[in-house]
Amino acid sequence: GTNWSGRPTKGVYFVKNGLTIDTGSTLANLNADTILVVVNGGITIAPNVKRLDGIYIADGAITVGGTSVDQLNINGMLYASDIIKLNRSFTDKTVNNTSPAVQVNYSPGLIFNLPPAVLKVVSGWREE
């Protein structure tokens, strides 16, 4: 794919260049479904995004910035070959003292919801 609006609701989504995520993405059932987003470049998550479910892999940086009145909840995993930069803050700066502006709910079980062909590649991977 080339942009976030072209993504599937679940499955695997490959993006040739950098990706800007400008809307949320929720899975109907976190215990049975998953979305794996693999980007050849960086991933930028816009300030208006409130929730992302799935596994996000970037061959660059993953950046979450800006300000928002809402917390961003990521249910899944993030991996970047460069850096993961979570510098988002709340519009009301006093809320930053009591709540994180970005919360990642690590869900490694999403790997097992991948299509069997992809799971076979992931489970058979080893560094040489």
Side-chain angles (χ1 to χ4, degrees):
T2 57
N3 59 46
W4 186 237
S5 63
R7 76 189 181 284
T9 56
K10 61 183 179 178
V12 181
Y13 186 50
F14 292 100
V15 180
K16 184 174 181 175
N17 295 313
L19 176 67
T20 297
I21 298 175
D22 54 6
T23 59
S25 177
T26 58
L27 292 168
N29 183 348
L30 279 171
N31 296 320
D33 299 328
T34 194
I35 184 166
L36 170 64
V37 179
V38 181
V39 179
N40 181 14
I43 298 174
T44 301
I45 302 172
N48 62 308
V49 178
K50 297 178 188 177
R51 179 175 168 178
L52 281 178
D53 294 346
I55 303 166
Y56 297 86
I57 300 173
D59 184 32
I62 296 177
T63 305
V64 183
T67 59
S68 178
V69 295
D70 299 304
Q71 181 183 60
L72 168 60
N73 284 292
I74 300 172
N75 299 303
M77 296 183 296
L78 302 173
Y79 174 83
S81 65
D82 187 4
I83 189 172
I84 298 175
K85 189 173 185 179
L86 306 176
N87 62 345
R88 182 173 176 172
S89 67
F90 287 105
T91 305
D92 177 358
K93 302 297 185 209
T94 61
V95 179
N96 291 325
N97 295 327
T98 57
S99 299
V102 179
Q103 181 168 328
V104 179
N105 303 307
Y106 178 61
S107 301
L110 289 173
I111 291 174
F112 299 108
N113 298 336
L114 291 170
V118 174
L119 184 57
K120 184 177 179 182
V121 171
V122 171
S123 64
W125 177 86
R126 67 178 179 268
E127 188 172 355
E128 295 185 17

